[in-house]
């Protein structure tokens, strides 16, 4: 059975997600539809990147991913069908694909030509363009039927951490805040470990706070499980399951997690100084 996933910034209140699913089912009721999320902040491509990049790899090869974020139709902006890392991705040519796959070369890129004639009317990109293309692929159709090959798409630069050699310091930034209020940075474990070689210790600095240890998981900081509740509310830095540096409050939430207690926002800097 073919799988179509949907990621959007439509939220759960409006009709748009239901309209997409209804259109898919009307074209092929046998398709398996999976929601990744519909709670992307409006037009937020970095947030979309973090969520989709860490979700898509768990789906079978050949899965079709509709990325309806910043996707409202305009004649001057292309819509894309890309085959990358064994799966298909449908998105507006808004830079999202370049953020998602800054480190992977696409197998092939198509500009979707379905509903692209001068007299065609597109009221809603997701139902009028993305869904018919996704179902076409799910039915075994060839991409060449609904698109033409192109060489590239809009490029945006994913914010990368930098290393200040004279000060022996990594300068990163907050790229995502999750449902538990955890603060995820763009500093990867590999980047950290490469630069920490030869250093005896380090300090993670943010706002007017600092931490001097990184755990490998949220639960590693609990050294006595008979007294586990005493660790609730303890601050820590970890490398999360995406292998990104994360600032966390153990058993924290949106209301009392790292975001609210540390006061950091997306885009703010996090520093790691080596000694």
């Amino acid at each position: 059975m073919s799988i179509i996933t949907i990621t959007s910034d439509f939220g759960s209140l409006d009709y748009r997600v239901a309209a997409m699913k209804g259109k898919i089912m009307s074209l092929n009721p046998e398709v398996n539809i999976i929601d990744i999320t519909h709670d992307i902040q409006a037009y937020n491509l970095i947030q979309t990147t973090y969520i989709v990049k860490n979700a898509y790899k768990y789906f079978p090869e050949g899965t079709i991913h509709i990325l309806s974020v910043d996707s409202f139709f305009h004649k001057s902006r292309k819509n894309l069908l890309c085959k990358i890392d064994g799966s298909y991705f449908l998105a507006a040519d808004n830079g999202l694909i370049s953020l998602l796959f800054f480190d992977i070369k696409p197998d092939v890129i198509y500009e979707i030509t379905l509903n692209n004639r001068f007299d065609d009317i597109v009221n809603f990109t997701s139902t009028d363009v993305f869904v018919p293309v996704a179902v076409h692929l799910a039915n075994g159709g060839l991409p060449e039927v609904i698109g033409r090959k192109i060489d590239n798409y809009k490029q945006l630069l994913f914010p990368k951490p930098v290393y200040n050699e004279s000060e022996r310091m990594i300068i990163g930034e907050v790229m995502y805040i999750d449902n538990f209020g955890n603060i995820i940075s763009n500093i990867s474990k590999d980047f950290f470990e490469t630069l920490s070689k030869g250093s005896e210790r380090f300090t993670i600095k943010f706002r007017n706070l600092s931490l001097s240890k990184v755990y490998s998981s949220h639960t590693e900081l609990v050294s006595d499980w008979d007294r586990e509740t005493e660790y609730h509310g303890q601050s820590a830095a970890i490398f999360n399951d995406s292998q990104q540096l994360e600032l966390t409050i153990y058993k924290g939430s949106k209301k009392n997690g790292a975001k609210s207690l540390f006061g950091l926002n997306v885009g703010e800097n996090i520093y790691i100084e080596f000694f």
Side-chain angles (χ1 to χ4, degrees), residues 30 63 98 101 109 146 150 152 170 180-181 194 201 218 236 250:
E30 301 300 319
T63 296
S98 69
F101 298 107
I109 310 165
I146 45 77
I150 57 176
N152 211 334
I170 294 174
F180 297 96
T194 298
R201 58 190 178 91
H218 292 90
Y250 182 65

Side-chain angles (χ1 to χ4, degrees), residues 262-273:
F262 297 156
L264 283 170
N265 297 305
V266 171
E268 288 194 59
N269 288 130
I270 295 174
Y271 306 91
I272 304 178
E273 188 174 3

Side-chain angles (χ1 to χ4, degrees), residues 50-175:
Y50 181 77
I51 293 172
V52 174
K53 195 172 185 68
N54 287 294
Y56 89 87
K57 58 188 176 184
Y58 292 101
F59 286 87
E61 190 170 297
T63 296
I64 303 148
H65 300 280
I66 298 176
L67 310 179
S68 291
V69 178
D70 183 30
S71 60
F72 291 106
F73 184 79
H74 195 280
K75 284 282 188 183
S76 63
R77 184 170 69 175
K78 297 188 289 289
N79 288 302
L80 303 174
L81 163 61
C82 302
K83 187 175 184 183
I84 307 174
D85 199 21
S87 297
Y88 291 101
F89 295 85
L90 297 164
D93 188 19
N94 54 14
L96 176 57
I97 297 295
S98 69
L99 292 173
L100 259 173
F101 298 107
F102 65 89
D103 54 348
I104 301 177
K105 185 177 180 180
D107 298 323
V108 64
I109 310 165
Y110 296 91
E111 177 186 356
I112 298 172
T113 54
L114 180 74
N115 290 335
N116 202 30
R117 298 175 304 184
F118 75 94
D119 57 343
D120 283 331
I121 296 175
V122 176
N123 293 313
F124 180 29
T125 308
S126 295
T127 55
D128 298 346
V129 179
F130 291 161
V131 165
V133 171
V135 174
H136 171 77
L137 295 172
N139 290 340
L142 296 174
E144 290 83 357
V145 175
I146 45 77
R148 65 179 184 88
K149 286 185 180 181
I150 57 176
D151 295 326
N152 211 334
Y153 38 62
K154 182 176 179 179
Q155 298 290 318
L156 293 178
L157 294 176
F158 190 85
K160 296 181 180 180
V162 297
Y163 181 63
N164 186 319
E165 191 169 358
S166 63
E167 297 187 19
R168 301 195 66 198
M169 179 184 291
I170 294 174
I171 304 170
E173 66 178 67
V174 178
M175 67 172 178

Side-chain angles (χ1 to χ4, degrees), residues 4-22:
I4 296 175
T5 79
I6 307 176
T7 301
S8 80
D9 54 1
F10 298 150
S12 57
L13 176 64
D14 296 326
Y15 68 90
R16 294 184 177 92
V17 174
M20 292 176 68
K21 292 181 178 181

Side-chain angles (χ1 to χ4, degrees), residues 191-202:
F191 192 69
F192 170 83
E193 289 184 341
T194 298
L195 294 170
S196 65
K197 291 177 180 177
S199 299
E200 295 182 359
R201 58 190 178 91
F202 61 87

